[in-house]
Structure formats: C-alpha cells, structure tokens
Amino acid sequence: MTHSAVPLLQLDGLTRRFKARVALEGLNLSVGAGEIVGLLGPNGAGKSTTFQLLAGLLSPDAGRVLFEGRPLSLHDPALRRRMGIIFQRGSLDDLMSARENLRLGARLYGLTGARAHERVERMLRLIGLQDRGDERVSTWSGGMRRRLELARALVHQPRIVLMDEPTQGLDEASFRSFWSHLRALRDAEGLTVLLTTHRADEAEMCDRLAVLDSGRLVATDTPAALAARVGGDILTLEAREPESLAAELRQRLGLEARVVEGRVQVEVEQGHALVPRLVEAFPAGRLASVSLRRPTLADVFLQLTGRVLGADQPTAEPARRSRRR
Amino acid sequence: MNVPATTLPTPDTSGEAEQEVSRVDAPAPAEERAPGGLALQWSTVRVLLARDVVRFFRQPSRIVGALAQPILFWFVIGAGFAGSFRVEGAQGLDYQRFSFPGVVTMVVLFSAIFATISVIEDRREGFLQSVLAGPGSRLSVVLGKALGSSAIALLQASLFLFFAPLAGVKAATLDVPLLLTVMVLSALGLTGMGIALAWWVRSTAGYHAVMSIVLLPMWVLSGAMFPLKGAGPLLAWVMRLNPMRFSVEGVRRALYGAEASLAVGTASSGAGLEVPVLLVFATAFLGLAALSITRRE
C-alpha cells in the first residue's frame, strides 16, 4: 500500500484520565490510508480507552484528532460518517434477518433507496453470505455473526473501520475466515483498519502495530520488525521449582532466565545447541520438559513491557530485573 | 494456526472483487452521496421507529399480551369494583364505563415501559452503542425510540377501542383527533421519562423498582382507577399535579364528551387544557431523555 503524505488519521497527544488514573497518556499515532494498524496490549493498557475516544463515546482530556490532515471534533457527524465501528458486544438485532440488519445499518448513516440496496447486496457478497441474507441472525454461528458485524460496519462505505477485539471468542477457523474477508474487503473498498487486540496471532496479521502499556505507547513498528527485536529462539523449561531453576540458570550458565506463568523462559541465539547442555547440567528429573520455539509477538510484548500479553495484571516481575542487567 | 486449507471459507474473489480493486484509487466516498443534516436525522428517527414496530410483530408473546392485558384488566377490575363504585351526582355511571379511558391510558403507559426496557437491553447488547457512535444526534435516537413506542401504543389502543361501544361510547361524542393527539403526546412524554429513568438505573431489575414506585403510582393516581372527587385533600392535590391525569382526562373527554369528565370531577375548568399540558410534558421529558443519554458507557 502506498501512503500519501498526509496520514488518513492522526492522533496527536490524546490523553484521557479517569479520576486520578491516567488511562491514556499523550498518544501519538498516525494511520496511513489502506493500512491495517493494531493496538496491542493487555487489558488496562489503554486500548479500549483509545477505541472509545475514537468511537466518539468518550471525550479526551487533551490532544486532538486529525482526519485527512484536518482537526475534527470526535463528535463531528462528518467524522462519524467516515468511520465504521465494530464493538466487542454485538450490534446485530436477533429478530431481524442479515439483510434487514444491514439495511438498518445503512439507514443509520442516511443511506436509503437504491444506493442502500446496492451497498447491502455488495456487502453480503463480499462476506460470502449472499445466499443466507434472509435468515434471522439469531440462528447463526459466532463466526458468521462476526462477519456480518464487519459488513454492517462497512455498509455506509466508511474510509476507516475501528474494531475492538474483533475476533475475541472465535475459534481458529472463524478467526481465519474473518481475516481473509477483512483483507478482501480492505482491497475491494480501499479501506483503512484500526483494531485493538491482545492476541499475538491477530497482531501478526496487521501491517503495523502500536504497542501500548499502562496508557503509554512503547513501540510502533511492523510485526516482523518487532519480532526481530527478540533475537534467536525461546526456550521454555518446566520444572517443579521454577524460581530456583531460573536463579541457577542465571548463575551457572549466565543465561537471561525468567519465570513466566510458572515456567522458566530463556531467550537464546542458538537454541538447539543449548538443549543438550541443559539436559546434562540438570540431571535426575529436575526438568519436567524442555521446548524450543521461534519468538512470537507475545514474547516481543514481554520484552518491551515486562508484562504478559494475555494477562490483566503484571505477572512477570523478574523480567524487569533481568532486562536491566 | 494449522487449519487445513479445505476448511477455510474463501472470500468472494471471483470477478466482482477483482473488478473492484481498480476502484481503490478512486473510491466514491459515501459521505458525498449520503444526505446530511435533517435528512440524516430523519433517517435515524425512522429506522429506529420501524425497528421497534417490526420487533413487536415478531414477538408473538408480546402481541398476545398487548391484546389480552387491557381486556383482562378492564373486565376483571370492572367486575370487582362494580358493586361498590358510586360517584356522587353521576347516576348511571358504572365502573366499566368509568375505567375505560384509564385502561386506554394504561395501554400507552405499558407500551412506554416496554420501550424503556428495550433501551436497557439495547444498551447491554451493544446495539445502542453502535447507534450512538453513528452520526445521528441523541435527540434523533430518543425521538425514534419514543415514536416507535407511540406507534405500538396507538396500534394496541386502537384494537382495544373496538370494545368502546360496550363501554357506552357513542359515535356522536367520539372525538378521534383529540384521542389520537392525547395518546401520542402521552406516549412521547412517558417514553421520554422512561428513557431518562432507564439511563439512570442501568439495569432491568432497577427499572422494575422505578416502575413500581414511579410509573404505576402515576397511573393509579391519574383518575384512572378512582375519581378525583372524593379523594382526600392531600391525595387530590397530588392527583391534580400528576401529568398522567391529563392523559386520562383527555381520553375521557375524547370518548364521552366534556360532561362525563365534569361528572367525575377530574375535568380542568373549561377543559381543553389537556393538550397544552401534555405538549409541555412530552417536550420536557424528550429533552431530558436526550440530555441523559450521554454517548459514554
């Protein structure tokens, strides 16, 4: 995708407090036309606050939003019409058919008549559900409903679509299907996408990621570039006493070992060469299992913030110490 | 991540989508074609109104309840009070006849209560969030909901009005325009009040409490169940200030003429005050509802 000189959407020092707690601190982010940008972080990182601000459901305490280079109020109807929004909680009416739901979505944005009809049919086609348009959505699976949510958010032909944890609770096949349709829609509609996620596999799908932690932006880069920040392999060891094992690994082998969710994790350049050394160093059942894998975005997140991506609370305390060595 | 390729539903890339790719460079922005301003607001009002009517017809239990409830109420309460009911100076006014306008008003009240409960549900489900994130104003959202509720109330009341001849309503005294005006204004005001209350209580359980300490007493003290004449001085004052009194009074005057209202002592001096009072009531509470529904969750 080529980016024009002016980003489609630019967040400039966006700040929001809830009483004393700072939910979002001076967020600067620009989203180019045609990009799929992911806000990555655990619950409480500021993703949902950013989403609600952009959806016009909250007002910022400071900062501004530029759309196509023009500063706009988040409640401006002109901005609202250029945005499509998918909330975590579904917006579909269960007593209505898919087609009726889309028509309703179109009318909420002022589209009627032949123009609305054309958009509704096109959306049904693009999400591959044109044959089932007259079925009531209450009978549909979670994956199909999610695709219909996507169609409803796009029916008024917005320039940008915001999605809050769009694939939460979907199984693997539905997740894949949602994303393949999203990409097809992006290409067919010239769409820009900004989504929040705490799934590493979903983050991989984005063109660019903004990593949030405790209301602050800690990194923005492509998933590949972020993954490259964690060099080498991730070695995970299961043992009965992970803390003492980690301490021993640090002392005896000089490895950056940390305990993550009850397992010892080590980042190394040549993982396969270390495995036999480890097995020899800790004989007689001290290690329950040893596994080796390539780093994921969850590991990147852990390295950037010292927190586990899927968790609500910071759980990887030793990581901070080992990082500062 | 290892899902067999055969299980992946592929998006529609045949012909259509390939054709569309060329449009990417010159997308026709919807905002240039979509109407703005009032047309957009009206579209929001209309779609929310239509949704409520469609939903009503798709819930068979609601249709049955809507028809059965007023009939049951009218006959049962009427039968119960018939023996003991007497209004001084109004010979021949039986309870069936007295309570008929009140039951019509009750239909309107219950329709508004249903509309309000659906607001709480829509808020929980996320439907309302998606509406509020759109370009429609809060007033349009409230108006759409209130008009939807009014439409259902009118429909339900019209069916109940088939029993009007049994309640002694004569074609000569029937004032249809007044009846419709009073019912619509009452429905709008009550729905507005319901939405404002719903936003404040947030849960259906809380709303039931509000319903039984605010909305139902408003109906009981409107002159629907017993006449103002004969009530104690304090109660009579509460009844006089109750906006719903004007609904009951308006419906009574529309059905039986001004004399019937005077007979039960609820009539305002000179009558005809109902419509202006209800107009103020509706405007005030629709406005309050629009101010109450903030966009934030």
Side-chain angles (χ1 to χ4, degrees):
Chain A
M1 282 284 153
T2 51
H3 300 165
S4 52
V6 179
L8 182 70
L9 182 71
Q10 196 173 340
L11 315 184
D12 190 3
L14 221 50
T15 300
R16 170 74 198 199
R17 293 176 204 92
F18 292 103
K19 303 218 171 98
R21 191 173 72 84
V22 179
L24 196 66
E25 175 91 72
L27 175 65
N28 296 315
L29 180 68
S30 63
V31 181
E35 261 193 314
I36 298 182
V37 175
L39 296 171
L40 181 69
N43 293 338
K47 286 176 306 174
S48 288
T49 304
T50 310
F51 180 85
Q52 298 230 318
L53 285 169
L54 291 177
L57 298 170
L58 277 179
S59 296
D61 291 321
R64 53 181 197 153
V65 171
L66 288 90
F67 192 84
E68 293 176 321
R70 276 190 304 144
L72 278 180
S73 152
L74 284 160
H75 302 299
D76 193 325
L79 179 64
R80 302 264 51 95
R81 262 164 37 191
R82 287 163 171 83
M83 276 189 186
I85 298 170
I86 302 184
F87 292 94
Q88 253 182 68
R89 288 181 288 171
S91 66
L92 301 175
D93 189 319
D94 270 346
L95 293 175
M96 292 188 173
S97 71
R99 216 169 238 118
E100 286 171 326
N101 267 295
L102 291 182
R103 219 172 286 148
L104 193 155
R107 292 205 177 129
L108 284 175
Y109 285 82
L111 253 62
T112 50
R115 172 89 184 120
H117 178 78
E118 178 200 313
R119 287 294 301 171
V120 167
E121 296 308 315
R122 178 176 155 81
M123 282 299 121
L124 279 173
R125 218 162 41 235
L126 284 169
I127 57 165
L129 293 170
Q130 65 270 49
D131 300 331
R132 309 190 64 172
D134 292 324
E135 290 173 21
R136 280 209 194 163
V137 297
S138 54
T139 61
W140 281 14
S141 70
M144 282 165 71
R145 293 172 69 100
R146 226 50 203 152
R147 264 148 71 195
L148 189 62
E149 289 279 1
L150 182 58
R152 203 198 123 169
L154 299 182
V155 73
H156 62 285
Q157 208 174 352
R159 294 290 313 277
I160 183 166
V161 63
L162 303 180
M163 310 194 290
D164 194 11
E165 308 274 355
T167 58
Q168 190 162 45
L170 292 191
D171 59 42
E172 193 58 39
S174 302
F175 169 78
R176 296 260 140 198
S177 162
F178 181 89
W179 271 91
S180 71
H181 284 100
L182 178 66
R183 286 180 184 284
L185 279 161
R186 189 254 303 249
D187 296 340
E189 299 262 308
L191 195 66
T192 304
V193 182
L194 182 62
L195 68 136
T196 70
T197 188
H198 66 261
R199 285 177 70 151
D201 54 353
E202 189 156 67
E204 309 264 5
M205 304 291 219
C206 300
D207 297 330
R208 213 151 51 83
L209 290 171
V211 183
L212 287 173
D213 179 44
S214 305
R216 285 189 180 80
L217 185 68
V218 290
T220 25
D221 220 325
T222 61
L226 284 172
R229 294 191 186 189
V230 180
D233 303 310
I234 304 287
L235 200 62
T236 309
L237 306 165
E238 276 186 89
R240 204 169 293 157
E241 289 166 341
E243 292 291 351
S244 70
L245 178 67
E248 236 176 293
L249 284 170
R250 286 194 286 264
Q251 280 167 14
R252 282 174 56 187
L253 301 173
L255 295 169
E256 283 195 28
R258 54 188 160 196
V259 179
V260 181
E261 295 180 324
R263 294 192 189 98
V264 179
Q265 200 163 299
V266 185
E267 264 174 54
V268 279
E269 284 300 331
Q270 300 280 310
H272 58 275
L274 185 66
V275 175
R277 274 177 62 206
L278 276 176
V279 178
E280 266 176 45
F282 297 96
R286 283 235 23 221
L287 304 178
S289 80
V290 176
S291 65
L292 187 66
R293 60 176 173 79
R294 300 290 304 157
T296 67
L297 285 167
D299 302 309
V300 174
F301 190 82
L302 181 65
Q303 200 192 45
L304 284 170
T305 67
R307 287 177 221 269
V308 176
L309 188 55
D312 294 2
Q313 302 289 325
T315 53
E317 236 349 88
R320 295 193 149 178
R321 258 175 271 140
S322 68
R323 208 177 65 226
R324 286 193 200 113
R325 279 203 311 200
Chain B
M1 301 292 249
N2 300 320
V3 178
T6 47
T7 66
L8 298 182
T10 44
D12 184 13
T13 49
S14 58
E16 165 74 27
E18 280 160 35
Q19 221 178 60
E20 306 295 349
V21 175
S22 60
R23 278 204 205 167
V24 170
D25 299 325
E31 63 265 24
E32 279 169 25
R33 300 204 206 170
L38 277 179
L40 174 83
Q41 300 306 333
W42 174 234
S43 182
T44 303
V45 171
R46 225 177 44 178
V47 72
L48 292 175
L49 193 169
R51 171 174 179 258
D52 272 356
V53 175
V54 166
R55 283 178 66 90
F56 176 76
F57 281 109
R58 290 189 184 171
Q59 290 167 290
S61 58
R62 266 185 79 185
I63 302 176
V64 172
L67 288 179
Q69 190 213 23
I71 297 170
L72 211 69
F73 214 82
W74 186 47
F75 279 114
V76 172
I77 301 271
F81 278 108
S84 52
F85 182 77
R86 190 171 296 115
V87 178
E88 230 177 291
Q91 254 74 43
L93 179 73
D94 62 14
Y95 197 72
Q96 300 286 6
R97 195 174 162 179
F98 168 76
S99 63
F100 194 80
V103 176
V104 172
T105 317
M106 188 185 72
V107 166
V108 176
L109 175 68
F110 272 87
S111 171
I113 287 173
F114 261 114
T116 315
I117 290 174
S118 78
V119 167
I120 298 176
E121 281 167 1
D122 285 344
R123 190 182 190 188
R124 196 177 52 217
E125 297 295 322
F127 176 84
L128 201 59
Q129 237 181 359
S130 79
V131 175
L132 291 175
S137 72
R138 296 181 294 177
L139 185 62
S140 303
V141 174
V142 167
L143 271 180
K145 206 71 205 173
L147 285 172
S149 160
S150 309
I152 295 166
L154 281 187
L155 200 88
Q156 215 179 323
S158 321
L159 288 169
F160 181 64
L161 284 169
F162 276 108
F163 290 91
L166 288 181
V169 174
K170 305 252 167 11
T173 52
L174 186 64
D175 185 345
V176 176
L178 177 65
L179 187 62
L180 290 178
T181 312
V182 168
M183 287 201 299
V184 169
L185 288 178
S186 307
L188 291 176
L190 288 169
T191 315
M193 194 169 156
I195 293 172
L197 286 170
W199 210 263
W200 176 61
V201 296
R202 287 172 163 261
S203 71
T204 35
Y207 190 70
H208 281 290
V210 168
M211 195 174 89
S212 48
I213 59 170
V214 180
L215 298 175
L216 290 179
M218 269 179 75
W219 180 77
V220 172
L221 297 178
S222 66
M225 282 192 86
F226 53 86
L228 202 150
K229 207 186 223 177
L234 183 68
L235 200 62
W237 266 109
V238 174
M239 286 174 78
R240 268 192 198 98
L241 295 174
N242 181 358
M244 270 200 86
R245 164 196 149 203
F246 295 91
S247 308
V248 175
E249 207 170 287
V251 172
R252 182 167 284 133
R253 191 158 68 86
L255 293 175
Y256 300 111
E259 285 161 40
S261 301
L262 286 169
V264 292
T266 52
S268 356
S269 47
L273 203 62
E274 303 96 344
V275 173
V277 169
L278 289 173
L279 193 65
V280 172
F281 172 63
T283 313
F285 279 101
L286 287 175
L288 184 68
L291 290 178
S292 307
I293 58 163
T294 51
R295 286 167 192 271
R296 89 182 58 103
E297 264 305 284

